[in-house]
Amino acid sequence: MNSSNLIFLYFSLLFFTAFISATEVTHDGTAIKINGERKIILSGSIHYPRSTPKMWPDLIRKAKEGGLDAIETYVFWNAHEPLRRQYDFTGNLDLIRFLKTIQDEGLYSVLRIGPYVCAEWNYGGFPVWLHNQPGIEIRTANSVYMDEMQNFTTLIVDMVKQEKLFASQGGPIILAQIENEYGNVISSYGDAGKVYMNWCANMAESLDIGIPWIMCQENDAPQPIINTCNGWYCDQFTPNNENSPKMWTENWTGWFKSWGGKDPFRTAEDLAFAVARFFQNGGTFQNYYMYHGGTNFGRTAGGPYITTSYDYDAPLNEFGSLNQPKYGHLKELHGILHSIEKTITYGNISSIDFGNSVYATIYQLNDTSSCFFGNTNTTTDATVTYQGVDYNVPAWSVSILPDCKNVVYNTAKVNTQTDVMVKKINEAEDEPASLKWTWRPQVIDDTVVLGKGQVSASQLIDQKVTNDVSDYFWYMTSVNLDKDDPIWTDEMSLRVNGTGHILHAFVNGEYLGSQWASYGIFNYLFEKKIKFNPGNNQLTLLSATIGLQNYGARFDLIDTGLPGPIEIIGKKGDESIIKDLSKHKWSYKVGLNGLDNELIYADKKFASQWQSENLPINKLMTWYKTTFKAPFGEDPVVLDMQGLGKGLAWVNGNSLGRYWPSFIAEDGCSTEPCDYRGSYDNSKCVKNCGQPTQRWYHVPRSFMKEDDNELVLFEEFGGNPTLVNFQTIRPGSVCGSAYENRDMELSCYGRVISDIKFASFGDSQGTCGSFEKGSCEATNDALSIIQNACVGKESCTVPATKSVFGLTNCGEGVLKRLLVEAVC
Ligand code: GAL
């Protein structure tokens, strides 16, 4: 190597070391500080296992493009340590790859290790083997539990340190979280709860990660741990220590969905209002929970009864596409907040109370000042007079004036396009809607008829004993009855007390009936007439879980399966004689034969056992299989499960999650659009009433090969697979909206705008797809102006001004808007 090479090497090394030098993350009573500078941090939750590594760069790029600084994720203990000391960090569990992808895209990261996470995730993220450890008590001062928790937390911290991913090492992680909302349940653990919480804090601190630790919803969080807020609104939150900045770890962007439940959504206006109010009131860190919700693949959904889709009405939808106008309306807000970051983090604060829930907050730094005008009134618009100028502030909104003169943003005025998604049939197939199916029955003979299990016990055992390796658990016993048994009558019935979550009952190999819980009330009573033979009878009860409880004090102890009693009742006149089978000798078997036999993978030894004749419809416990071609292009792919009952689905061996389209969502949706004004909660804005709770299931592109792919279904309840088909999903029409003097921007995301269906500058109203002209309109023909500007282009921008559209006869007080509906 010559000397110039050496010099080059020296400078490269110098540059490299400078590049990876540590980021210092500190805080004071006002703000988070990065390298000594006060910051506002806008963050969003994306959970790596709820998408695929292929999707990560795109999701994170869109988050960055949407104005975020950071990505927040939980770490999912049960997924990483499914069996004690056996770890999995592969595929969509590759935490390090996910963090490096965030780093690669130039964003910060917030690592919520928990390792209890809640998150509508199975068992709140606890591995079920933990529950089965002798002497354990979970989430309290118990050494067995604390040792396991410390072991996993340390493992994660060490892995992350090894890869130099903490900001203190030059990595992206600026904050780490221990536990999760322990303050919500601490009182039910008494003094031991307090001891545990302090232990968590000390244990976390001892890991020496060089960045701040946070605890969310934990009012007693000891210094230096920062207590943060979770909720729909956190503007009124004050941390428990005056040295802690005001931070919001979960701003719920919508809500999760349960089987049989309505589909909650939250308006863009209300979400933006919550964020603007938080920063108006001195917030420094805000995270959207979720920014991308994604999918509960496999058996990861918690609950019980959380659906496979975890869309959450987040700014990025389940498939990773923009959820417009939410995404764009927030993006604009983020840009404005960043533009006044210095003033709102360093400025002096003053406020003016105008009464009737209207107030202004003024941040002043040297010669600049920035203003927020907030109106928290739920119905009355307000006029704010500030420095001699009148400003209209609509009810339940915040206006931002970066210079305290011009309103550049109002949370209630959306100037972003709305996208209406459409589905398209799979053009790679000649007959996309008639897939060719083969089938085979679930082999249950041994189990149902002979009652042959793997273990037996003279008691009813909780399903968690199985370490939750399957949804399915068989309870089998024999009942010996002869005709002179006092219970023997023509009217005998079987009564089962169950807690989780579905029961299918069989007697002597014959199906007797099923029963399942409803969301929120998980114990149920099964009672059905039963016919016994004199002598020996085989009783088989199949219990199926739909995600284990993930929240609440001591949720880990909630009964799962059939805790009993299980009884036979003989009725003689008014008299009932009860035979309690609970202490019988029960034989137990875990799982399904089909899964043991690996039916879900192609070309396995059982391939010959699939039949193509006499495809059964509505047959309990049936396996179905078909092949299909991956749809062309890059649009997200969904599987239409219309016609099916309930079960599990796999594409090329990758689990799509549980499906249950036969579960119809309850009634009670309003036909009126949801009013964004007034406090939001998850029951306020709902849709999808009376429809299958979830009909469409995400099939990530990375699960598919280009040509032949295999879909396998285990249909538990019985259904009709002939309507099942694959489709792609994309924006079909887009509706532009711009208030007067703003730009109306339209985009078909790389596709061409083919037609304009509606355009009007005036006081038109309605929602995308059903706009209606109002009582006033500009003189020029809006439709032809927009057609000329937009048709044939991928995107277009048109100013919503008098000079483009002409004068209107709308009158003074009327808010004018350009509304456009375009076809992509
Ligand atoms: C919070 C919890 C999150 C999630 C959320 C609801 O209480 O911290 O993990 O469960 O509720 O989506």
Side-chain angles (χ1 to χ4, degrees):
M1 196 178 276
N2 63 30
S3 62
S4 66
N5 275 351
L6 266 176
I7 291 167
F8 174 75
L9 191 72
Y10 173 77
F11 280 106
S12 312
L13 275 176
L14 212 64
F15 174 76
F16 191 63
T17 332
F19 184 68
I20 57 160
S21 72
T23 307
E24 194 196 23
V25 187
T26 52
H27 61 86
D28 52 27
T30 305
I32 285 282
K33 288 163 127 184
I34 306 265
N35 291 333
E37 291 250 334
R38 283 187 187 166
K39 290 280 170 196
I40 57 163
I41 305 275
L42 299 164
S43 168
S45 287
I46 301 178
H47 294 156
Y48 53 98
R50 285 177 159 142
S51 51
T52 62
K54 258 261 163 74
M55 292 167 71
W56 296 342
D58 180 59
L59 294 174
I60 294 162
R61 228 168 278 149
K62 283 174 175 155
K64 186 177 184 183
E65 182 55 24
L68 295 194
D69 309 292
I71 305 294
E72 184 176 287
T73 185
Y74 281 128
V75 178
F76 299 87
W77 185 1
N78 62 340
H80 293 305
E81 195 177 349
L83 296 172
R84 192 163 180 268
R85 303 298 179 263
Q86 290 184 32
Y87 297 101
D88 185 359
F89 288 93
T90 60
N92 66 347
L93 297 179
D94 193 342
L95 169 65
I96 297 297
R97 185 187 174 109
F98 182 70
L99 294 170
K100 286 185 175 172
T101 312
I102 296 172
Q103 183 174 34
D104 225 39
E105 298 299 338
L107 292 184
Y108 295 128
S109 165
V110 177
L111 193 65
R112 308 175 83 190
I113 301 179
Y116 163 68
V117 297
C118 192
E120 290 70 70
W121 188 262
N122 195 44
Y123 213 39
F126 284 133
V128 180
W129 57 257
L130 194 69
H131 166 81
N132 295 323
Q133 291 295 102
I136 199 159
E137 264 188 85
I138 287 178
R139 289 186 93 191
T140 187
N142 168 281
S143 61
V144 182
Y145 168 70
M146 292 191 297
D147 283 354
E148 293 294 343
M149 172 172 168
Q150 182 163 10
N151 184 71
F152 182 74
T153 308
T154 311
L155 178 105
I156 295 298
V157 165
D158 287 350
M159 272 175 76
V160 168
K161 266 192 193 168
Q162 180 88 31
E163 300 290 336
K164 302 213 174 339
L165 290 169
F166 287 114
S168 49
Q169 305 171 291
I173 305 170
I174 53 169
L175 297 164
Q177 181 182 305
I178 194 77
E179 250 292 345
N180 192 77
E181 295 192 332
Y182 193 64
N184 292 1
V185 295
I186 190 168
S187 61
S188 57
Y189 295 89
D191 289 346
K194 196 106 202 207
V195 172
Y196 165 63
M197 195 266 298
N198 284 312
W199 172 84
C200 286
N202 289 330
M203 189 266 285
E205 285 299 332
S206 75
L207 295 172
D208 196 19
I209 57 176
I211 55 165
W213 281 98
I214 56 176
M215 281 184 168
C216 62
Q217 296 286 106
E218 178 47 83
N219 277 330
D220 298 327
Q223 285 284 295
I225 309 261
I226 309 169
N227 172 34
T228 66
C229 182
N230 293 344
W232 310 110
Y233 308 95
C234 280
D235 48 278
Q236 298 305 310
F237 169 76
T238 359
N240 58 338
N241 189 291
E242 60 180 23
N243 292 323
S244 296
K246 178 166 170 171
M247 293 170 57
W248 189 1
T249 25
E250 291 182 26
N251 176 1
W252 299 322
T253 53
W255 199 243
F256 55 84
K257 193 157 84 162
S258 60
W259 295 113
K262 302 167 205 143
D263 199 353
F265 64 94
R266 187 178 185 191
T267 62
E269 291 93 332
D270 180 54
L271 188 53
F273 172 67
V275 177
R277 260 165 72 77
F278 183 68
F279 287 102
Q280 171 169 16
N281 289 304
T284 179
F285 169 94
Q286 185 273 159
N287 176 76
Y288 296 102
Y289 186 100
M290 300 296 296
Y291 196 74
H292 171 254
T295 310
N296 292 312
F297 296 115
R299 302 175 52 250
T300 58
Y305 272 37
I306 302 297
T307 56
T308 294
S309 168
Y310 194 63
D311 180 88
Y312 220 94
D313 196 27
L316 298 177
N317 72 13
E318 176 176 7
F319 318 113
S321 311
L322 308 190
N323 177 8
Q324 294 282 44
K326 194 176 271 188
Y327 174 90
H329 191 48
L330 296 173
K331 172 180 170 162
E332 203 186 327
L333 173 59
H334 301 156
I336 291 157
L337 290 171
H338 276 136
S339 74
I340 55 174
E341 180 170 35
K342 274 248 143 54
T343 327
I344 63 176
T345 51
Y346 284 98
N348 288 329
I349 309 175
S350 56
S351 57
I352 307 170
D353 190 345
F354 294 97
N356 197 23
S357 308
V358 181
Y359 70 110
T361 308
I362 301 115
Y363 287 92
Q364 182 158 14
L365 181 67
N366 307 325
D367 298 341
T368 31
S369 50
S370 296
C371 291
F372 293 78
F373 297 161
N375 179 0
T376 57
N377 209 293
T378 54
T379 47
T380 322
D381 297 350
T383 303
V384 166
T385 309
Y386 181 71
Q387 293 184 341
V389 183
D390 283 351
Y391 299 89
N392 174 277
V393 188
W396 205 254
S397 81
V398 174
S399 290
I400 305 179
L401 300 78
D403 55 359
C404 284
K405 289 197 179 80
N406 297 294
V407 177
V408 301
Y409 188 85
N410 176 273
T411 57
K413 292 184 187 162
V414 176
N415 289 292
T416 302
Q417 73 180 42
T418 297
D419 296 351
V420 177
M421 306 304 268
V422 291
K423 300 189 185 76
K424 217 167 122 217
I425 55 159
N426 179 6
E427 285 169 349
E429 295 279 352
D430 297 335
E431 287 185 75
S434 55
L435 299 165
K436 302 210 170 18
W437 293 92
T438 58
W439 69 282
R440 49 172 286 162
Q442 163 66 25
V443 184
I444 50 180
D445 294 0
D446 277 6
T447 317
V448 173
V449 182
L450 304 174
K452 272 196 198 155
Q454 296 139 327
V455 288
S456 57
S458 295
Q459 67 186 67
L460 292 167
I461 57 182
D462 188 284
Q463 202 160 336
K464 290 193 287 297
V465 163
T466 66
N467 283 343
D468 193 45
V469 293
S470 168
D471 280 2
Y472 299 98
F473 192 47
W474 304 80
Y475 292 70
M476 297 162 290
T477 194
S478 54
V479 184
N480 210 316
L481 285 180
D482 48 47
K483 285 195 171 170
D484 45 23
D485 193 299
I487 204 169
W488 188 279
T489 67
D490 290 341
E491 239 190 90
M492 284 186 282
S493 54
L494 171 70
R495 191 195 279 164
V496 182
N497 273 284
T499 50
H501 306 123
I502 297 182
L503 165 70
H504 303 293
F506 304 82
V507 63
N508 297 324
E510 293 286 316
Y511 173 63
L512 189 66
S514 305
Q515 179 91 24
W516 53 89
S518 48
Y519 181 71
I521 312 164
F522 294 105
N523 33 359
Y524 57 82
L525 192 70
F526 170 88
E527 192 156 0
K528 190 105 191 183
K529 284 215 167 116
I530 190 167
K531 283 225 154 21
F532 286 111
N533 300 324
N536 224 7
N537 293 274
Q538 183 56 46
L539 187 65
T540 301
L541 305 173
L542 173 61
S543 166
T545 49
I546 323 279
L548 302 185
Q549 187 81 30
N550 58 265
Y551 180 72
R554 297 176 205 275
F555 72 86
D556 51 296
L557 298 178
I558 290 175
D559 287 335
T560 312
L562 306 176
I566 297 177
E567 300 159 328
I568 298 169
I569 300 152
K571 271 219 158 112
K572 284 187 178 149
D574 289 344
E575 199 187 357
S576 293
I577 302 165
I578 296 176
K579 191 182 183 75
D580 189 347
L581 304 181
S582 310
K583 297 268 176 315
H584 253 218
K585 184 163 178 222
W586 288 87
S587 171
Y588 294 97
K589 182 181 152 76
V590 186
L592 294 175
N593 288 337
L595 282 180
D596 301 345
N597 294 346
E598 299 188 315
L599 287 184
I600 57 171
Y601 302 106
D603 302 326
K604 286 281 147 100
K605 48 188 180 207
F606 297 94
S608 64
Q609 295 178 16
W610 294 89
Q611 314 166 35
S612 51
E613 303 297 305
N614 305 323
L615 189 79
I617 306 284
N618 292 333
K619 187 176 173 324
L620 200 76
M621 296 207 227
T622 308
W623 290 86
Y624 294 102
K625 184 159 86 168
T626 188
T627 51
F628 67 97
K629 295 198 168 61
F632 299 130
E634 293 297 317
D635 289 332
V637 178
V638 287
L639 178 59
D640 181 359
M641 297 287 230
Q642 184 188 182
L644 290 176
K646 185 246 165 196
L648 303 165
W650 296 263
V651 164
N652 299 329
N654 300 290
S655 173
L656 304 183
R658 300 184 184 97
Y659 68 81
W660 199 348
S662 64
F663 207 146
I664 302 300
E666 61 199 338
D667 284 331
C669 295
S670 161
T671 48
E672 296 297 308
C674 188
D675 189 347
Y676 64 83
R677 300 173 304 174
S679 255
Y680 179 81
D681 68 43
N682 56 312
S683 61
K684 186 180 174 189
C685 310
V686 288
K687 57 184 188 203
N688 203 42
C689 290
Q691 301 295 316
T693 319
Q694 191 183 344
R695 174 174 160 186
W696 308 94
Y697 295 77
H698 186 205
V699 188
R701 287 264 173 196
S702 58
F703 286 6
M704 289 175 283
K705 298 171 275 177
E706 252 170 53
D707 212 2
D708 280 351
N709 295 283
E710 189 167 79
L711 168 68
V712 174
L713 307 176
F714 171 65
E715 175 52 63
E716 178 186 325
F717 281 16
N720 178 359
T722 59
L723 299 172
V724 169
N725 66 95
F726 290 85
Q727 304 197 8
T728 50
I729 180 163
R730 64 176 172 90
S733 42
V734 294
C735 289
S737 152
Y739 285 86
E740 187 168 14
N741 295 327
R742 294 289 312 258
D743 284 346
M744 191 280 308
E745 292 176 17
L746 264 190
S747 165
C748 276
Y749 309 101
R751 287 194 168 87
V752 162
I753 299 169
S754 60
D755 193 13
I756 303 296
K757 287 207 154 156
F758 182 95
S760 157
F761 183 60
D763 66 348
S764 296
Q765 296 294 332
T767 50
C768 186
S770 54
F771 288 140
E772 274 172 28
K773 293 218 168 170
S775 54
C776 64
E777 183 129 28
T779 45
N780 302 346
D781 179 8
L783 193 64
S784 62
I785 297 173
I786 300 294
Q787 275 165 344
N788 287 336
C790 301
V791 172
K793 300 196 179 133
E794 290 176 3
S795 62
C796 58
T797 304
V798 181
T801 56
K802 278 202 282 273
S803 61
V804 175
F805 293 95
L807 295 173
T808 65
N809 55 354
C810 289
E812 259 312 288
V814 177
L815 212 52
K816 290 183 283 291
R817 190 150 68 129
L818 172 61
L819 282 179
V820 176
E821 183 185 342
V823 182
C824 287

